[in-house]
Amino acid sequence: MPEPTSIEIFELGDFQLSTGFTLNNAKLAYRTHGSLNEAKDNAVLFPHFLAGSPDSLEMYIGEGRPFDPRKYFIILPGLFGGGLSSSPSNTSIPFNQGNFPDTHIADDVIAQHRLLTEKFGIQQLKLVLGWSVGALQTYEWAVRFPDMVKRAASIAGAPKPSPWTVLWLRTVIEEPIIADPGWNNGFYTDPQAVQAGLRRVGHGAAMTLPQVGFYRDELWRSIGFSSVDDFVARFWEAFWLPLDPNNLVAQARKTRTADPSGGGDIAEALGRIKAEMFVYAFTGDRMFQPEECKVDSQRIPNAKFEEIGGVSGHLTTFGLTEKDRQVMDEILTKLLTD
Amino acid sequence: MPEPTSIEIFELGDFQLSTGFTLNNAKLAYRTHGSLNEAKDNAVLFPHFLAGSPDSLEMYIGEGRPFDPRKYFIILPGLFGGGLSSSPSNTSIPFNQGNFPDTHIADDVIAQHRLLTEKFGIQQLKLVLGWSVGALQTYEWAVRFPDMVKRAASIAGAPKPSPWTVLWLRTVIEEPIIADPGWNNGFYTDPQAVQAGLRRVGHGAAMTLPQVGFYRDELWRSIGFSSVDDFVARFWEAFWLPLDPNNLVAQARKTRTADPSGGGDIAEALGRIKAEMFVYAFTGDRMFQPEECKVDSQRIPNAKFEEIGGVSGHLTTFGLTEKDRQVMDEILTKLLTD
């Protein structure tokens, strides 16, 4: 078994975005674990969530973990705007920083498709999965390349963001950043000039991501914090502060426009999915509400829906509590049980 | 029956705040409807919510309305910081604008008590009621002056804000305002210099106050809006834009510190209430969650708790839908039915 790779770069050349711009020397960053077998049928694609990175998903990979690299070839791609693939933070003029063009989830999936087919010669994925923005990519994959996805799983996710989630992306992610005087239209000289805004992103996330009752029951105690303010500072502010403000805004805008139907009929688009699909929702997840996830699943020919309670709403995917980690492990392990 | 009065001012003189500062020539604004009877036992005190004013409550008063001025003497006091009573916006140096001292809900209640006793000679209130910050005042009244409150009602409220609500006050109200460059430490020359911040307050409120499902079910359609963005602009931004930024920050900070136990044992404090008390909570109100309101009611010797579903969560008190208005009317009407 090969060691997991460091971040590698797949050169996309002059890559035409769905927004009409062309990114010269566009880059798709990725990391792999395990190796592709001779039949090329053991590939698992695991794209990441907003503000995440390939590294954010490593905890689920390893011997005795849900994704065993002795059996599977696990590919962790980075998002455009995520900081490793082409992003505002690493692109040169004219598309540097505040002038990076909008990208769509479809662009990410098209780039990932090129990596899989051109670099690895993969014809079919054993599994595509992700949560939150990772789930948006999963749906885009299942709709856009139906023959290439054998199995897919959306965890705390949807094909497109709900109207509430669109409001959240604007209010919690974009506005605190772009309202910071240090933002300077995205042309700050140091990302930390926008740190007051990034902290406020953390406050909005702290307010909206935990399940109702989290603060009432003082669940921050059980995960090592001494007060609400301590949890907000050491967990939520600390989570956002290292991230590049332009990259976050790029990811938020991309998330807002995600739509595998391309502005068409979403029910019809989901009806074209050929993958065996698993749709998991968490009780109390306001971002991707179980009622809405269930409707998504009913539009897919071969889908199973499950709502899981007693966990931390959208925050479940962060695996902060023992119960959340256990539920995430169980879900992921089941996905590769034939 | 006398006509309702315009806003009147009760001069409090040099009023010592619980925060240690003295407001010279402090003013308590109020409006009344109806007249005090000879026995002085028909007074209803109805303090207002955050960002409200005495005028916000007029819709419940009138012939054929829950509070009939032919029978009751209804007193609508204004909050310190509300813009009509002493506030950042109307106080002269040294306590003008950004240097207005913090006030507590207890200060409001003490000022109201002086109005009722000194100006009107009222010994006992037939009813004190309010929602949200109006409910904070109601609890403070019932604990601080137990013999003076015959009946009290908290609607979508609590004796003190929950930890989530504290986070909300900071994140949704204070931070968007004080992060606006036009804020200038509270020493703007025109409140509209802070309008970008006030609009963002509206976005946070739009995101957090309606019940889960409001946007999914497109309930904005039924109340006259053509899209989520239209609802956010014409309802939520329009609600906050006319308000003075310093006044809002003053109200948010006051709300955060509300506590009728004065930092002591809240269960013991509520145990001292002598009023017959009604505690109403709305399903889906994240600000004052029914589970929490129920616990409050259980600490009061003579309280009835009721959770009402099928309405608009915390937004119910705004009476935007026919159902919400009907429920509010029913609750208020019952309060004066012996």
Side-chain angles (χ1 to χ4, degrees), chain A residues 252-273:
Chain A
R253 290 185 178 160
K254 173 209 302 270
T255 304
R256 273 167 41 164
T257 60
D259 181 357
S261 78
D265 180 340
I266 190 71
E268 185 275 327
L270 297 181
R272 296 201 304 269
I273 293 177

Side-chain angles (χ1 to χ4, degrees), chain A residues 164 167-168 170-172 175 179 181 200 203-204 206-208 210-212 215-216 229 232 286 289 291-292, chain B residues 164 167-168 170-172 175 179 181 200 203-204 206-208 210-212 215-216 229 232 286 289 291-292:
Chain A
W164 186 85
L167 194 51
W168 184 91
R170 172 187 180 184
T171 305
V172 172
E175 292 192 335
R200 289 197 301 275
H203 304 169
M207 181 178 72
T208 49
Q211 74 277 29
V212 171
Y215 293 103
R216 174 175 65 231
D229 288 344
V232 168
R286 188 156 188 181
Q289 297 168 25
E291 298 90 327
E292 298 173 7
Chain B
W164 186 86
L167 193 52
W168 184 91
R170 172 188 180 183
T171 306
V172 173
E175 292 192 335
R200 288 196 302 274
H203 305 169
M207 182 178 71
T208 50
Q211 73 279 27
V212 171
Y215 293 103
R216 175 175 65 232
D229 288 343
V232 169
R286 187 156 189 182
Q289 298 169 25
E291 300 89 326
E292 299 173 7

Side-chain angles (χ1 to χ4, degrees), chain B:
Chain B
M1 178 178 75
E3 288 296 299
T5 64
S6 305
I7 292 290
E8 297 192 74
I9 299 295
F10 180 67
E11 296 289 348
L12 294 159
D14 293 343
F15 186 80
Q16 185 160 352
L17 297 168
S18 56
T19 48
F21 294 99
T22 296
L23 275 180
N24 296 124
N25 305 311
K27 290 168 203 321
L28 172 61
Y30 66 99
R31 197 166 182 183
T32 64
H33 289 252
S35 43
L36 192 60
N37 63 12
E38 208 164 328
K40 299 192 174 189
D41 65 0
N42 69 334
V44 171
L45 183 70
F46 194 2
H48 68 77
F49 52 90
L50 190 151
S53 79
D55 289 349
S56 317
L57 306 168
E58 304 267 315
M59 70 178 99
Y60 297 106
I61 300 166
E63 294 182 32
R65 301 295 297 131
F67 301 127
D68 188 335
R70 293 172 301 184
K71 293 175 68 180
Y72 304 107
F73 179 54
I74 305 131
I75 305 145
L76 307 170
L79 274 176
F80 287 133
L84 298 171
S85 298
S86 291
S87 298
S89 62
N90 64 15
T91 298
S92 52
I93 58 165
F95 291 141
N96 58 308
Q97 291 197 288
N99 202 44
F100 191 77
D102 283 345
T103 62
H104 281 184
I105 289 291
D107 297 319
D108 290 289
V109 167
I110 290 165
Q112 291 161 19
H113 179 263
R114 281 189 51 197
L115 169 70
L116 299 189
T117 54
E118 296 176 18
K119 167 97 183 174
F120 297 115
I122 293 169
Q123 298 296 313
Q124 193 178 48
L125 287 160
K126 188 169 185 70
L127 174 67
V128 185
L129 82 153
W131 44 87
S132 210
V133 172
L136 295 174
Q137 294 167 80
T138 299
Y139 272 106
E140 180 70 37
W141 257 103
V143 171
R144 182 172 287 269
F145 301 113
D147 293 319
M148 202 164 158
V149 182
K150 192 171 176 202
R151 189 175 281 182
S154 163
I155 299 161
K160 51 192 279 191
S162 74
W164 186 86
T165 304
V166 170
L167 193 52
W168 184 91
L169 290 161
R170 172 188 180 183
T171 306
V172 173
I173 307 292
E174 278 193 67
E175 292 192 335
I177 292 173
I178 68 177
D180 189 319
W183 166 249
N184 189 29
N185 295 312
F187 296 105
Y188 42 80
T189 49
D190 181 339
Q192 289 310 300
V194 193
Q195 73 169 279
L198 292 171
R199 286 176 198 272
R200 288 196 302 274
V201 172
H203 305 169
M207 182 178 71
T208 50
L209 293 184
Q211 73 279 27
V212 171
F214 180 91
Y215 293 103
R216 175 175 65 232
D217 298 336
E218 302 191 347
L219 295 180
W220 38 265
R221 284 191 196 280
S222 68
I223 51 177
F225 297 94
S226 56
S227 67
V228 173
D229 288 343
D230 187 48
F231 177 55
V232 169
R234 288 199 298 123
F235 182 78
W236 289 105
E237 295 184 6
F239 179 82
W240 299 96
L241 277 172
L243 300 171
D244 180 78
N246 275 305
N247 290 357
L248 280 174
V249 169
Q251 289 176 67
R253 291 185 177 159
K254 172 209 301 268
T255 303
R256 273 166 44 161
T257 59
D259 181 358
S261 77
D265 179 341
I266 190 71
E268 184 276 327
L270 297 182
R272 295 202 304 269
I273 293 177
K274 294 183 179 173
E276 178 187 12
M277 187 136 187
F278 298 86
V279 177
Y280 288 98
F282 300 123
T283 303
D285 181 353
R286 187 156 189 182
M287 194 75 70
F288 296 101
Q289 298 169 25
E291 300 89 326
E292 299 173 7
C293 297
K294 188 173 183 182
V295 171
D296 295 331
S297 74
Q298 289 164 343
R299 291 167 163 172
I300 301 164
N302 183 12
K304 283 192 194 112
F305 169 78
E306 190 176 342
E307 177 177 345
I308 299 172
V311 287
S312 302
H314 198 67
L315 205 57
T316 306
T317 60
F318 282 67
L320 291 185
T321 69
E322 184 55 39
K323 177 72 194 278
D324 292 347
R325 285 191 290 274
Q326 187 189 323
V327 162
M328 291 300 292
D329 276 9
E330 281 172 12
I331 290 173
L332 300 184
T333 301
K334 266 195 289 189
L335 292 177
L336 286 173
T337 307
D338 287 306

